[in-house]
Amino acid sequence: MAERTTYDSNNIFAKILRGEIPSHRVYEDDAVVAFMDVMPQGPGHTLVVPKAPSRNLLDADPAVFGPLFANVQKLARAVKKAFDADGVTVMQFNEPASGQTVFHLHVHIIPRFEGIPLKPHSGQMEKPEVLAENAGKIRKALGS
Ligand code: 5GP
């Protein structure tokens, strides 16, 4: 039987949204913030995070999904262009059994290249300068 769970406003993404800890941001509007994943499964791995609090898709207000996925599409197009990728993987996990490790709803966007597998989920930390450079590429692609 699944444990009953509630939203914890001290999760790491809530702190990033409040600006209490740093992130390499690529986009922000009224509904979402997008920033680089610190343990990317591939170059350009980006997270799109709604500002509204929920643990994941299961407890989210459905009104969140329209603006969230419109932004996921916008970011997926920009990420594909920024890295000249062959494709884009979009992933989203719900509760620990599914692989979720941070309990604020978020969507993963990862550029994909023919024949190159994803690195492990929550694997190795990327260098800040690499994340900063990749964030710059995505911001540039969004702006053009
Ligand atoms: P989940 O497993 O919950 O779907 O994904 C959480 C993601 O957040 C993982 O891909 C992990 O690498 C990333 N992550 C964990 N801590 C931090 C952090 O402090 N900052 C950023 N930018 N990403 C994080």
Side-chain angles (χ1 to χ4, degrees):
M1 172 76 87
E3 190 183 333
R4 192 121 96 107
T5 48
T6 54
Y7 181 78
D8 174 7
S9 59
N10 281 323
N11 73 77
I12 200 93
F13 291 170
K15 290 181 179 178
I16 287 175
L17 290 174
R18 293 196 293 266
E20 293 169 9
I21 63 168
S23 64
H24 294 90
R25 291 192 184 207
V26 296
Y27 179 79
E28 177 170 6
D29 66 14
D30 289 348
V32 306
V33 173
F35 51 86
M36 306 313 293
D37 193 306
V38 286
M39 291 171 270
Q41 291 185 250
H45 184 163
T46 302
L47 300 168
V48 187
V49 182
K51 291 181 174 177
S54 72
R55 277 177 69 82
N56 52 46
L57 174 145
L58 301 171
D59 62 331
D61 180 342
V64 164
F65 299 133
L68 173 60
F69 277 89
N71 279 306
V72 167
Q73 183 190 45
K74 181 159 59 187
L75 268 301
R77 286 173 171 165
V79 161
K80 184 172 183 294
K81 180 176 175 186
F83 294 89
D84 197 21
D86 300 315
V88 182
T89 291
V90 173
M91 303 192 295
Q92 191 276 319
F93 303 101
N94 302 282
E95 298 302 328
S98 75
Q100 187 179 10
T101 58
V102 178
F103 297 96
H104 182 115
L105 176 60
H106 56 278
V107 177
H108 299 257
I109 298 176
I110 311 173
R112 299 302 301 274
F113 303 90
E114 292 295 348
I116 299 181
L118 286 181
K119 292 184 194 165
H121 187 57
S122 296
Q124 212 178 333
M125 291 281 278
E126 184 53 277
K127 297 185 198 74
E129 57 268 30
V130 172
L131 295 176
E133 187 185 345
N134 288 345
K137 288 182 187 171
I138 298 169
R139 282 194 296 267
K140 188 171 169 217
L142 278 168
S144 54

